[in-house]
Amino acid sequence: MSELVPGGNLPLPGGTLTLHVPGPFDVSALITDDSGKVRGDGDFVFYNQPTAPGARLHGETLTVDPPALRSGASRVTVVVSPAEPGTALGRLPAPTLRVTGPGGGVLARFTPPRPQQETVLLLAEIYRRGTTWKLRALGQGYADGLAGIARDFGVEVSEDADSGAGGGASPGGSGVPGSRGAGVATALNAARAGLGRLRGSGRTPAGSSGPSPAGRTSRPPAGSTAPSPAGNTGRTPAGNTAWNAGSASAGGSSAAAPGVAGPASNQFLGLVNSARAAVGAPPVSLDARLTAAAHTHAAGMAARGSLGSEGADGLSVYQRLTASGYAYLTVGEHLVSGPLDAAGFVEYCLSSEQSRRTIHDPAFTEAGVAYVPDSRSGTLYWTALWARPLTPAGLAQTAAEVVTLTNAERARAGLRPLAVDTLLTNAAQAHSADMVARAFYSHTSPDGSEPWHRAAAAGSTRRTIGENIACGQRSAAEVVQGWMDSPGHRANILKPAFTHIGVGFAGGGSAGTYWTQLFGA
């Protein structure tokens, strides 16, 4: 079984899949094609319409048979909302998705960072890449609820819809399933209020979800693998580019030409650094490569008319950043649509704890921001990137923090500390870098090598080798806590026989960060 983090991907076996979300939630699904838009009422599966070709909802459980979906369907998005009308998701426990395969075995589990003011959550999606179906963990929250989903998925809602029906339809358009008793008119009013939607802060709370897959040892290997989608890296402009917000209106705005240092960046920087100063965090400076990557990603979202950490070409925002030549030690992002200027964007990013944590994080030293309008609707799509550049000293400090935290866990269990082994460190670092470079996430490399093979290739003569890997975590504390929350990883950390350790880290890829712990005895 794989414990997924936001943005994590997992290839799926053939046959019917079962997705279960227990708790006080309504589960629903949206069926779309490559455009990301629904075709009509039949593309909704919710409590008042529990079946569609290839999909069936029964209480907390959604079953999906991808080959049986309607013609042209390439994506099923799983949506959760509070079962009790008017309840914010932040007042409920974080939903947990469990996915089982046709044989009943658990394939994956995903618990997103706990939402705050969001009222609807895109939890995960089943999507087709070529001839393969995959699962992607999302965790995308909508502060404006069903109205945000309506806009992103091409749904039209009627202003006079029956508020007690849980859904309605406008002439020539599609109905949208509503929270019980909330109705579609409420969603439409929320949409007209101009509230933004937050894709993610780029930083998940420590321990909110364990890394995947389970740790492996040489006697015997344990756990399963969860490779991320393969893909080539592209090149994004790395020039000294800033993007001018200009004056925005409800009808949209146009970005200034490349090379113009506009007021949007300056206003953004002033507001952000003021917020950071209020909590004692050092100021950040603008970086041209971060700004260029932010603009490229925002342009892709505007072209699609939807938020997402991955572009239509399959490249993640992190891959765009590393392709520009920017190597980072830690990274964060805000992906938001709706705000009309930098002040509104920063205000929205400060409105929830998770998002605010990224702005306040003292680890970040540089930032970049850009927006691009959707040419059809005028909606502004924003991307802000946060990072600390990679340096040899910073990498060594991060690895040392992982070792210190690991040994603290061993000390609490009455075990002796692990000593740093240079050869294990070299092998661990090479594996993290390899996962980024060759776009995979697994204990088994594409060439078939296992942890003990890599250790031996680095010159290690340790007789017993164990390995933990993780992706998506943004700090040493976060990744060690995630490992400790996962039984397989915890067993490696607390194995009495291990005497030495090496730690590797690399930024990039589809998940943003890749970590490796290599243990030896």
Side-chain angles (χ1 to χ4, degrees):
M1 183 190 72
S2 297
E3 292 277 0
L4 297 179
V5 298
N9 291 262
L10 178 70
L12 295 170
T16 301
L17 305 164
T18 302
L19 299 91
H20 182 64
V21 185
F25 306 105
D26 280 334
V27 180
S28 54
L30 292 155
I31 300 168
T32 57
D33 51 27
D34 290 338
S35 71
K37 308 299 182 182
V38 298
R39 286 186 179 178
D41 292 348
D43 281 346
F44 292 120
V45 177
F46 64 110
Y47 53 85
N48 278 346
Q49 184 173 281
T51 61
R56 176 179 294 272
L57 179 66
H58 181 71
E60 301 172 338
T61 301
L62 174 72
T63 57
V64 178
D65 182 7
L69 295 170
R70 55 105 170 143
S71 176
S74 60
R75 192 177 304 264
V76 179
T77 303
V78 182
V79 182
V80 295
S81 56
E84 184 66 27
T87 302
L89 285 170
R91 295 172 56 188
L92 303 175
T96 295
L97 171 68
R98 187 181 65 180
V99 182
T100 58
V106 179
L107 303 175
R109 187 172 61 189
F110 172 55
T111 302
R114 185 173 180 178
Q116 298 298 320
Q117 82 276 22
E118 292 88 345
T119 55
V120 176
L121 190 70
L122 303 188
L123 192 56
E125 61 184 6
I126 296 169
Y127 67 101
R128 186 177 62 215
R129 180 61 57 82
T131 59
T132 302
W133 287 88
K134 297 185 176 183
L135 173 73
R136 179 186 289 117
L138 296 177
Q140 174 182 339
Y142 284 75
D144 53 352
L146 297 171
I149 289 180
R151 284 193 297 269
D152 279 1
F153 287 83
V155 178
E156 295 182 24
V157 294
S158 61
E159 191 166 9
D160 58 351
D162 179 2
S163 64
S170 59
S174 302
V176 56
S179 297
R180 288 188 175 95
V184 198
T186 302
L188 180 62
N189 291 333
R192 290 180 171 176
L195 300 175
R197 278 100 70 198
L198 177 65
R199 171 59 180 85
S201 70
R203 188 173 178 83
T204 56
S208 64
S209 59
S212 161
R216 297 185 71 172
T217 60
S218 59
R219 291 189 294 222
S224 59
T225 61
S228 58
N232 299 320
T233 57
R235 302 294 296 179
T236 55
N240 183 15
T241 305
W243 304 91
N244 188 344
S247 58
S249 65
S253 174
S254 59
V260 178
S265 294
N266 294 333
Q267 184 184 23
F268 167 83
L269 190 64
L271 292 168
V272 161
N273 282 335
S274 176
R276 290 173 66 88
V279 297
V284 294
S285 59
L286 292 175
D287 179 86
R289 290 168 297 178
L290 289 171
T291 299
H295 183 270
T296 300
H297 192 73
M301 294 192 299
R304 297 192 313 274
S306 64
L307 298 169
S309 62
E310 187 178 282
D313 55 4
L315 295 181
S316 72
V317 66
Y318 317 112
Q319 288 170 309
R320 298 189 194 285
L321 182 54
T322 55
S324 75
Y326 191 104
Y328 54 80
L329 191 61
T330 187
V331 67
E333 75 282 346
H334 287 102
L335 310 179
V336 180
S337 64
L340 299 180
D341 55 23
F345 172 67
V346 173
E347 180 182 3
Y348 184 76
C349 293
L350 289 169
S351 65
S352 72
E353 180 182 356
Q354 178 186 349
S355 176
R356 186 165 56 245
R357 189 181 298 120
T358 298
I359 290 183
H360 289 165
D361 194 332
F364 297 129
T365 59
E366 296 179 339
V369 66
Y371 78 83
V372 174
D374 181 335
S375 61
R376 296 152 297 191
S377 66
T379 299
L380 303 187
Y381 283 81
W382 294 78
T383 298
L385 294 175
W386 312 78
R388 175 186 289 270
L390 179 69
T391 63
L395 179 60
Q397 180 181 354
T398 297
E401 289 174 0
V402 172
V403 173
T404 297
L405 292 167
T406 298
N407 280 334
E409 296 293 346
R410 288 177 65 88
R412 276 191 280 272
L415 302 173
R416 59 184 176 179
L418 302 173
V420 174
D421 183 299
T422 301
L423 298 178
L424 293 180
T425 298
N426 292 342
Q429 182 61 37
H431 188 55
S432 287
D434 192 32
M435 287 191 288
V436 170
R438 291 201 276 180
F440 74 98
Y441 177 58
S442 175
H443 294 290
T444 304
S445 300
D447 58 13
S449 63
E450 302 283 0
W452 35 96
H453 300 139
R454 294 190 290 270
S460 175
T461 57
R462 304 282 171 195
R463 301 182 67 179
T464 303
I465 295 293
E467 182 180 79
N468 285 344
I469 61 175
C471 65
Q473 294 79 4
R474 309 302 166 87
S475 69
E478 190 175 328
V479 72
V480 172
Q481 184 62 57
W483 279 325
M484 288 301 294
D485 288 342
S486 173
H489 300 85
R490 181 185 180 93
N492 272 344
I493 288 175
L494 300 183
K495 185 171 182 175
F498 285 141
T499 57
H500 290 76
I501 187 174
V503 174
F505 167 84
S510 61
T513 57
Y514 291 79
W515 305 78
T516 302
Q517 276 184 321
L518 203 55
F519 304 92

